[in-house]
Amino acid sequence: MNATTAILDFAAANHILPESTKAAALHLLGDTLAGGAAGAVSGEAQAMLSAVRGWGDGDDARLLGLSKRLPGPSAAWFNGFAVHCLEWDAVHEPAVVHAMSVVTAALLAAVDRQDGCDADEFLTALCVGVDIASGLGVAATGAMQFFRPATAGVIGAALAVARLDKLPSEKYANVMGLAYSQAAGTMQAHVEASIALPLQIANASRAAITAVDLAKAGMDGPHDALGGPFGYFKLFEPGDLTRYTESIGQRWLIEDVSIKPFPSGRASHGILGAIDDLLRDGSLDPMHVASVDVSAPPLIHRLVGRPYKIDMTPAYARLCLPFLVPLMLRDRIIDPRCFTAEEFANPDIVKLGGKVTVRIDDNPDHNALAPQKLAITMSDNNVIEHIITDNLGSPSAPMSDVQTQSKRDLARALASDDCDPRIFENPLAYATEPQ
């Protein structure tokens, strides 16, 4: 059996989820829906919605957190954008894949077009999609050039939708090939901190639905989409698929997905979490911080080490440690409502932002998020040092119940007034029982 066949067989197999896997899926679903409901009312999402409304007729799928409806593919697009646009969505750190985002957005549209589905079938499809998207990231052996959450996400999401739609297993190779044929998204959007970044998640969410629709219509796709001479691991990035498939199904990868406590790039969370700890235990007085020095792996510098700009956009600010650190020191929270032109030009924030330095250490792993070293120099020249080995929200450093509730409360405060309350009170019912 080759590696691609192993993935297709896994996608179509009968699975009984362990209780720990179900618990992880439910927890992550609630987190993803909450963050998406908050993202749906952001200025970027509302601006993008005016374009999406023109993409065909129909109203068979819900928009996350809103009372509006659109055709399934367009709803998947919007929901994928909403989930990712605040940079608050869960990530499988070893894979560097926002594993829940594309899969959840696509499955929500699929459920709505069925007018509901069985809860266990939904959770299993979710876990399968997250596993495959994460597994493709685990198999990668080089630094990202294409945006892996979208390129790997579309394949995992398409197979998840195929499963939920009960497609015959012999069509799964076509679904994978058709999803791969629509895969897109590069790291240039991240380098420039462009709003095109969540658009790449949105595009993958819609493409997953489209791939299944095309397979249903009898279209075929390339069957060696991963390992062929022009397949995923030849064109998008180098990788060894057996790194995933040799143990596929032995442990559900959704249990290894990390939740993001802050609405900012995951690469910022080690530092922000460490500052939060120091503030909570009283060992750091934010009024007397003279400078902040971060020594971190190349990926951290690449993703969030960008310089402070007074004229930056909210998308840029979410990926800018020199802005995020002063905000955390001042507010002890990262609130999306502070991502405004007025705050970017705030003299106190600008001054402290200029004292934040992010340096590259000698870590040879281009996918590593840790370890990191934080050194805060106080006005009396005392230096507070902190070594970060686990990001807050990871399985090895889970958020407390209080921290989880704090995130859900902030998301609810940001969400629309007509948001379906089940998103926060019963997320599985919201996902599987359209109203």
Side-chain angles (χ1 to χ4, degrees):
M1 178 188 298
N2 66 35
T4 297
T5 300
I7 291 175
L8 295 175
D9 288 349
F10 172 75
N14 292 322
H15 295 294
I16 299 176
L17 299 179
E19 289 304 314
S20 59
T21 305
K22 280 188 179 180
L26 286 168
H27 189 51
L28 286 160
L29 176 64
D31 176 80
T32 301
L33 295 181
V41 296
S42 67
E44 297 101 325
Q46 289 297 304
M48 191 267 291
L49 181 56
S50 63
V52 180
R53 283 197 184 109
W55 296 351
D57 298 324
D59 60 353
D60 55 352
R62 296 167 292 173
L63 301 189
L64 181 54
L66 304 178
S67 59
K68 302 177 178 65
R69 301 175 72 91
L70 286 174
S74 297
W77 173 288
F78 178 83
N79 291 340
F81 184 94
V83 167
H84 189 62
C85 70
L86 295 184
E87 284 284 351
W88 220 358
D89 47 334
V91 60
H92 189 290
E93 291 187 15
V96 198
V97 170
H98 294 272
M100 290 290 296
S101 308
V102 179
V103 178
T104 303
L107 284 176
L108 287 177
V111 168
D112 282 5
R113 297 204 301 185
Q114 295 179 20
D115 197 26
C117 75
D118 178 80
D120 285 337
E121 291 180 359
F122 176 88
L123 289 178
T124 303
L126 179 67
C127 291
V128 164
V130 166
D131 208 278
I132 293 169
S134 302
L136 295 179
V138 169
T141 56
M144 282 190 290
Q145 299 182 74
F146 288 84
F147 187 51
R148 194 179 296 152
T151 57
V154 66
I155 294 172
L159 291 171
V161 172
R163 181 186 181 92
L164 197 69
D165 280 5
K166 296 182 172 58
L167 257 67
S169 59
E170 57 266 24
K171 290 185 176 291
Y172 278 37
N174 287 329
V175 169
M176 177 187 280
L178 290 164
Y180 171 65
S181 298
Q182 300 176 81
T186 77
M187 287 298 290
Q188 191 61 37
H190 207 299
V191 168
E192 299 184 24
S194 165
I195 199 60
L197 198 62
L199 286 175
Q200 294 177 165
I201 293 288
N203 181 63
S205 304
R206 180 178 64 177
I209 291 288
T210 302
V212 175
D213 286 350
L214 291 171
K216 286 179 179 178
M219 302 290 183
D220 67 339
H223 284 196
D224 203 3
L226 300 180
F230 300 98
Y232 185 97
F233 287 109
K234 292 292 185 181
L235 297 186
F236 284 115
E237 57 185 335
D240 177 3
L241 199 52
T242 62
R243 286 160 54 107
Y244 170 46
T245 57
E246 282 183 349
S247 59
I248 191 170
Q250 294 179 17
R251 172 180 171 79
W252 287 91
L253 297 187
I254 198 168
E255 296 192 42
D256 300 328
V257 173
S258 298
I259 287 177
K260 296 170 69 173
F262 313 113
S264 60
R266 182 57 173 169
S268 70
H269 285 201
I271 298 302
L272 297 179
I275 291 174
D276 185 44
D277 288 342
L278 294 170
L279 291 171
R280 287 175 183 273
D281 67 20
S283 57
L284 174 62
D285 182 353
M287 299 300 295
H288 294 94
V289 171
S291 66
V292 177
D293 183 88
V294 177
S295 177
L299 186 63
I300 300 293
H301 185 273
R302 182 184 183 190
L303 298 184
V304 296
R306 64 197 73 234
Y308 195 110
K309 292 183 179 180
I310 292 178
D311 61 347
M312 60 185 156
T313 64
Y316 186 104
R318 295 180 192 112
L319 303 172
C320 178
L321 265 177
F323 173 72
L324 297 166
V325 167
L327 207 62
M328 177 62 79
L329 289 170
R330 187 191 70 181
D331 300 339
R332 305 189 177 197
I333 191 174
I334 304 297
D335 190 329
R337 290 170 291 196
C338 291
F339 289 72
T340 64
E342 291 76 17
E343 286 286 29
F344 301 154
N346 183 317
D348 294 333
I349 298 290
V350 173
K351 181 178 179 181
L352 186 51
K355 297 178 179 179
V356 177
T357 301
V358 184
R359 296 183 291 107
I360 302 174
D361 65 15
D362 58 359
N363 194 320
D365 185 350
H366 290 283
N367 289 319
L369 294 173
Q372 302 176 49
K373 181 179 179 181
L374 172 66
I376 302 176
T377 302
M378 307 303 291
S379 56
D380 62 0
N381 292 321
N382 180 46
V383 179
I384 301 172
E385 294 187 342
H386 194 91
I387 302 297
I388 299 145
T389 57
D390 300 291
N391 287 324
L392 178 63
S394 66
S396 55
M399 294 165 60
S400 68
D401 291 343
V402 172
Q403 290 169 324
T404 297
Q405 192 59 50
S406 177
K407 174 177 178 176
R408 301 287 177 93
D409 289 345
L410 177 56
R412 191 163 197 165
L414 294 169
S416 170
D417 290 340
D418 60 4
C419 174
D420 189 326
R422 295 180 302 163
I423 288 175
F424 300 95
E425 297 166 4
N426 192 345
L428 184 58
Y430 172 82
T432 59
E433 301 172 14
Q435 290 182 346

